[in-house]
Amino acid sequence: MEKQDCVEPIIDTFEERQSHMCIKGGGLSLPECDKPGIPGTVTQRTCVFGGARIVLMPITDSIHLVHGPIGCASCTWDIRGSKSSDSKLYKKGCSTDLKEKDIVFGGERKLYDSIIELHKLHNPGAIFVYATCVSGVIGDDINSVCKEAQNITGCRVIPVQSEGFQDHNKTKGHWIGCDALIDNVIGTSEPDQDSITPFDINIIGEFNVAGDLWGIKPLLEYLGLNIVSTVTGDSKIEDIAKSHRAKLNIVQCQKSSNYLAKKMKKKYGIPSIKVNFFGIESTITSITEIAEFFDDEEMKNRANNLIENGLKHLDNKLEEYRERLNGKTVALYVGGNKAWSLVRAFEELGMEVIMSGTKNGIKEDYENIKNIVKEGTLIVDDANSNELRKLLKKLKPDLLISGAKEKYIALKLGVGFCDFNHDRISAFAGFKGFLEFAKEVDGAVSTSVWNVVSTSIYDE
């Protein structure tokens, strides 16, 4: 890890934590990252099990069965806020609810009975069985149970070896979820010959949070692309099973799903393009690069029309928001992918990103952040609640972009807040989504409530 540029600590915190924050300067700085939390501090990281659930949970016609105590299922139920255009089966929170006697005598029989009962009740496209810390510690053989249950039911019963204790970073959980798909689902069905076209693609790493996918699909379909599967937002198991016949994978969330794209490249020879449909410039670049990949003149013409019409739709409507937001400052504390992919979108609103950080970042994430933020931007790894509060008081941003856990820290400090994680209700992707994004950001920053809050905690 490169040495940080800051000589003085940025805020008062544990000495061991000081190297996890740095100021970009001279293109040299990266914070220390991807390390276990320090005893005595509180981390807000998600575990390996949570990481696997993030990848697989949006498969809509499947049962997601958590083999562990009920708390594991409760803490990760509906964590993505992903929308579905059809089946709602994935919204059922299912758990084997392991109790003390199960831990003493083993939970395999309970798991088997749960799978059989769930299959009878719902006839799902697949049943994903997630191992948790407890089922891992007691040594339940979920692979054998899943295999036996699959033979009895004829339904895909897929083990996900996602014991939370395997790593301090949920990124490993993303990879385990992707492995479950590549090993058990992708390539297990063939598409109808009539449905195959020269322009078949998969959308990977778009989880349809608040309906983002529905802002992206019309753009791609206008280009003439045939979307074989969306892995995994608003998806069905049979579509994913046929995804190995696509000619191109486009990868939206590179942190969680680039691993899957690499695996599909190695196993099926499918190339991939990294895309980003948040922000005007990013959307235009993504559309252009996809059209250039297929090198089809009609598609290129359609891409030009699409971009031209998209910009016409935005220009006048954005001006009002830009006038109010110009010069305002933003702090990002989000998932690894969003920590860099949103920077340009704020600059397009006239705003300045002065801090970017993530809870589960690896070195690659921070290199991406460093490459896109301006000199002088604070880059922070895994800040706990107390550190985040101190950083907000020191930097005094006009807006914090983060998730539900950080919402009230910001609001109590008099900082505008906008949710860009799993709990938001507005779709931000594509040209229309960017307009909605601008509206929400403006609402958070420009609300008159900040004029009423006369005594700022900043000064305490």
Side-chain angles (χ1 to χ4, degrees), residues 189-203:
S189 289
E190 291 295 334
D192 295 334
Q193 287 299 312
D194 295 341
S195 67
I196 296 175
T197 79
F199 307 119
D200 295 337
I201 67 165
N202 299 312
I203 305 174

Side-chain angles (χ1 to χ4, degrees), residues 61-298:
D61 63 343
S62 298
I63 287 288
H64 299 270
L65 174 60
V66 179
H67 186 41
I70 191 66
C72 293
S74 174
C75 287
T76 57
W77 181 80
D78 206 21
I79 49 177
R80 263 295 181 191
S82 299
K83 302 292 185 183
S84 172
S85 56
D86 192 355
S87 175
K88 303 295 188 294
L89 188 56
Y90 72 124
K91 289 291 186 181
K92 294 186 179 297
C94 300
S95 169
T96 51
D97 188 19
L98 290 179
K99 299 289 177 60
E100 188 174 3
K101 69 175 183 180
D102 304 314
I103 294 168
V104 173
F105 297 107
E108 291 179 3
R109 185 70 209 182
K110 195 171 188 179
L111 173 60
Y112 176 82
D113 291 343
S114 298
I115 295 171
I116 299 300
E117 183 175 359
L118 286 167
H119 180 260
K120 286 181 180 176
L121 287 172
H122 302 292
N123 191 26
I127 300 174
F128 289 90
V129 177
Y130 299 83
T132 60
C133 290
V134 171
S135 57
V137 168
I138 65 178
D140 278 357
D141 186 354
I142 71 166
N143 282 302
S144 295
V145 175
C146 289
K147 187 175 181 180
E148 184 178 356
Q150 180 166 298
N151 290 336
I152 294 296
T153 61
C155 172
R156 291 185 178 91
V157 183
I158 301 168
V160 185
Q161 294 290 169
S162 53
E163 294 89 348
F165 54 68
Q166 291 187 56
D167 198 72
H168 60 273
N169 198 319
K170 72 174 180 180
T171 298
K172 185 170 184 179
H174 296 331
W175 299 343
I176 289 169
C178 292
D179 281 334
L181 294 177
I182 201 81
D183 294 339
N184 300 282
V185 183
I186 295 171
T188 57
S189 289
E190 291 295 334
D192 295 334
Q193 287 299 312
D194 295 341
S195 67
I196 296 175
T197 79
F199 307 119
D200 295 337
I201 67 165
N202 299 312
I203 305 174
I204 292 181
E206 170 46 59
F207 301 109
N208 201 30
V209 175
D212 277 333
L213 178 65
W214 299 331
I216 298 171
K217 284 182 77 172
L219 304 179
L220 302 175
E221 289 169 349
Y222 179 83
L223 293 178
L225 297 166
N226 177 44
I227 300 167
V228 178
S229 72
T230 54
V231 188
T232 58
D234 194 19
S235 61
K236 293 182 179 179
I237 202 76
E238 275 300 315
D239 293 336
I240 297 174
K242 299 169 184 173
S243 62
H244 62 299
R245 294 303 182 195
K247 281 74 177 178
L248 175 68
N249 286 327
I250 61 171
V251 186
Q252 171 82 347
C253 180
Q254 291 140 40
K255 179 173 176 58
S256 67
S257 302
N258 206 39
Y259 176 87
L260 179 62
K262 290 180 179 176
K263 287 267 183 173
M264 293 182 75
K265 166 73 174 175
K266 184 177 182 180
K267 191 170 183 179
Y268 300 108
I270 304 174
S272 65
I273 293 177
K274 296 175 181 177
V275 297
N276 177 14
F277 286 94
F278 294 118
I280 301 171
E281 179 185 321
S282 300
T283 299
I284 291 173
T285 301
S286 298
I287 291 170
T288 304
E289 289 184 352
I290 292 169
E292 288 177 351
F293 171 85
F294 284 103
D295 196 23
D296 179 82
E297 286 305 317
E298 184 178 349

Side-chain angles (χ1 to χ4, degrees), residues 263-405:
K263 287 267 183 173
M264 293 182 75
K265 166 73 174 175
K266 184 177 182 180
K267 191 170 183 179
Y268 300 108
I270 304 174
S272 65
I273 293 177
K274 296 175 181 177
V275 297
N276 177 14
F277 286 94
F278 294 118
I280 301 171
E281 179 185 321
S282 300
T283 299
I284 291 173
T285 301
S286 298
I287 291 170
T288 304
E289 289 184 352
I290 292 169
E292 288 177 351
F293 171 85
F294 284 103
D295 196 23
D296 179 82
E297 286 305 317
E298 184 178 349
M299 187 180 293
K300 288 179 181 177
N301 291 334
R302 285 172 175 266
N304 291 334
N305 290 336
L306 187 61
I307 293 167
E308 186 178 346
N309 291 332
L311 293 176
K312 281 181 184 175
H313 176 76
L314 286 175
D315 278 347
N316 293 332
K317 296 179 180 177
L318 276 178
E319 199 54 39
E320 179 185 351
Y321 300 126
R322 282 174 172 152
E323 285 179 6
R324 284 194 290 268
L325 295 173
N326 187 47
K328 302 292 185 182
T329 56
V330 188
L332 303 175
Y333 192 56
V334 286
N337 191 66
K338 292 188 283 288
W340 73 82
S341 64
L342 292 179
V343 173
R344 289 285 179 264
F346 283 105
E347 291 175 351
E348 288 165 348
L349 292 176
M351 304 178 76
E352 180 186 3
V353 174
I354 58 174
M355 180 188 112
S356 184
T358 177
K359 307 180 188 79
N360 297 281
I362 57 178
K363 185 178 179 182
E364 182 182 351
D365 298 321
Y366 289 106
E367 286 175 340
N368 287 329
I369 294 171
K370 184 192 72 173
N371 290 336
I372 199 164
V373 298
K374 294 180 178 177
E375 301 279 307
T377 302
L378 171 64
I379 305 174
V380 58
D381 169 69
D382 189 30
N384 58 45
S385 298
N386 194 35
E387 289 174 345
L388 183 61
R389 180 180 62 83
K390 290 180 179 179
L391 290 171
L392 293 177
K393 289 180 71 173
K394 181 179 179 110
L395 298 178
K396 300 178 174 60
D398 295 297
L399 180 70
L400 173 68
I401 299 291
S402 192
K405 291 195 290 287

